[in-house]
Amino acid sequence: MMEKYIIRTEQLSYSYGKAPIIHDLNLAVPDHSIYGFLGSNGAGKSTTIKLLLGLLQAGEQTTFLFDKEFSQHKYEILSQVGNAIEAPSLYGHLTAWENLKYLDILLKVGKSRMEWVLKTVGLWNERNKKVRNFSMGMKQRLYIGTALLNHPSLLILDEPINGLDPNGIYEIRESLKTLHDQEGVTIFLSSHILDEVEKLCSHIGIIEKGRLVSQGPITDLLGSTTKKVSIYLNDMERGLNLLSDNKYDAQRSRDGVAEIRIDDTLHFIRLLNLLLENKLDPNVIDIGTTSLEDIFFQLTQKKN
């Protein structure tokens, strides 16, 4: 069965004046996924999100949400999308409940939906508290809550955990998991906090200098990259030179061991044989598991 994509772009490009910002971007965000959109500061994450929401114009019909071309079905599409893409826009002198009530004048979703939203983002017990007295994490959760009022099928978030303390990050992560699991909402979020994305997301896209350098299920991505082996050698200087001569990616760590990247088991066996043949007495200390941080740096460094 062909996979259904909630967001799809075809060679999406954008320039600011004569300066190209986004280059031929082909996003594919599966239905019911939590898609982490990763990139360094200035890589093009926020610009891409603004293009997806029609806040910037790409000039060509290259963006599809819910299998509909955006510019031709803009209002129908946006009625199914919730977004929180800037700093929280809330009324500090009003309570959490009053902030939602204000929006309900336009959306007319009713008290039951407002109650559901506050419970989903974990703010029901604080519903009568003035927002100006909220922590940053609570404000961010309420801001996400405002994006949920209209029963969205797709939620787009730009750096939802940026600037939060560990408690705030945990609260946002659990709220998003609840939303995804209970409502089946597809979530597209940008971030540069890699360990949190690894805990939350089912799919990953990595952008570097406006180009998509990798995309797919996070499990596939974690299994497709090199691993790092830490080995003690009895003659470190000679060993590093030997490894370099044989085109191994190796360096001395702060702990005084050789850290070597390997592709697979066969590559590892060849490495050990090389070291043994040259009487370097390798003592394997650790074979590290691949992390999202490892993947990110491997892929983005290739582009630099």
Side-chain angles (χ1 to χ4, degrees):
M1 181 182 294
M2 184 176 293
E3 192 164 23
K4 180 180 178 182
Y5 296 109
I6 292 296
I7 298 174
R8 181 169 53 87
T9 64
E10 296 178 355
Q11 296 184 309
L12 178 65
S13 299
Y14 180 77
S15 296
Y16 182 74
K18 294 183 178 180
I21 306 297
I22 303 297
H23 309 266
D24 298 328
L25 207 64
N26 294 314
L27 288 174
V29 179
D31 190 14
H32 299 307
S33 65
I34 303 180
Y35 186 106
F37 192 45
L38 309 181
S40 308
N41 289 336
K45 301 188 302 296
S46 295
T47 299
T48 299
I49 286 176
K50 290 176 181 178
L51 288 167
L52 294 178
L53 292 170
L55 300 174
L56 295 174
Q57 301 300 319
E60 296 182 9
Q61 298 178 355
T62 56
T63 303
F64 301 83
L65 277 70
F66 308 103
D67 286 329
K68 295 181 173 65
E69 199 283 313
F70 184 86
S71 64
Q72 295 181 8
H73 302 273
K74 180 176 181 178
Y75 297 107
E76 179 186 351
I77 287 171
L78 290 178
S79 69
Q80 303 175 68
V81 178
N83 76 84
I85 65 168
E86 302 288 353
S89 179
L90 302 165
Y91 294 101
H93 64 288
L94 300 179
T95 66
W97 181 264
E98 289 168 342
N99 268 271
L100 296 190
K101 184 64 178 175
Y102 177 79
L103 292 172
D104 186 50
I105 295 172
L106 297 174
L107 298 174
K108 303 187 188 306
V109 295
K111 290 183 178 179
S112 62
R113 181 64 180 180
M114 293 163 57
E115 179 179 339
W116 177 90
V117 163
L118 288 173
K119 288 180 177 178
T120 298
V121 298
L123 291 175
W124 178 247
N125 291 336
E126 285 76 32
R127 64 190 181 276
N128 295 319
K129 185 177 180 179
K130 301 271 188 198
V131 169
R132 67 185 172 211
N133 297 321
F134 276 13
S135 68
M136 180 60 73
M138 293 168 67
K139 289 178 181 177
Q140 193 70 11
R141 280 188 284 150
L142 181 58
Y143 189 37
I144 291 172
T146 65
L148 301 179
L149 277 176
N150 64 331
H151 300 266
S153 299
L154 169 65
L155 182 62
I156 296 179
L157 307 173
D158 190 10
E159 302 283 3
I161 56 177
N162 192 30
L164 301 185
D165 63 20
N167 286 333
I169 290 173
Y170 175 81
E171 291 166 352
I172 295 294
R173 186 174 74 236
E174 293 306 304
S175 294
L176 293 177
K177 283 182 179 179
T178 298
L179 174 66
H180 175 264
D181 295 344
Q182 294 185 3
E183 290 281 294
V185 175
T186 301
I187 301 173
F188 179 95
L189 63 93
S190 75
S191 184
H192 60 267
I193 304 178
L194 302 181
D195 58 339
E196 286 301 318
V197 170
E198 187 170 353
K199 293 173 185 175
L200 178 63
C201 295
S202 61
H203 291 71
I204 297 294
I206 299 176
I207 187 173
E208 177 66 13
K209 296 180 180 178
R211 300 184 186 277
L212 195 67
V213 296
S214 185
Q215 177 176 238
I218 191 169
T219 51
D220 291 354
L221 211 56
L222 289 172
S224 66
T225 54
T226 61
K227 291 179 172 56
K228 184 168 60 180
V229 180
S230 297
I231 299 179
Y232 175 78
L233 303 173
N234 60 1
D235 188 338
M236 186 62 65
E237 203 64 40
R238 184 166 67 89
L240 290 173
N241 289 332
L242 176 69
L243 292 168
S244 177
D245 291 342
N246 285 272
K247 302 189 185 314
Y248 279 91
D249 180 4
Q251 59 185 353
R252 188 199 304 260
S253 76
R254 292 180 181 176
D255 298 328
V257 300
E259 292 187 340
I260 309 157
R261 294 197 178 276
I262 58 170
D263 296 326
D264 50 35
T265 302
L266 181 59
H267 196 200
F268 180 53
I269 293 171
R270 288 173 177 167
L271 166 68
L272 292 181
N273 285 336
L274 174 68
L275 297 173
L276 288 168
E277 288 168 0
N278 287 272
K279 298 181 171 49
L280 285 161
D281 298 333
N283 181 13
V284 179
I285 297 172
D286 180 58
I287 300 178
T289 56
T290 305
S291 69
L292 188 56
E293 183 178 80
D294 294 328
I295 293 169
F296 180 83
F297 285 113
Q298 287 179 47
L299 292 173
T300 55
Q301 285 174 359
K302 288 178 183 178
K303 298 295 179 180
N304 292 332

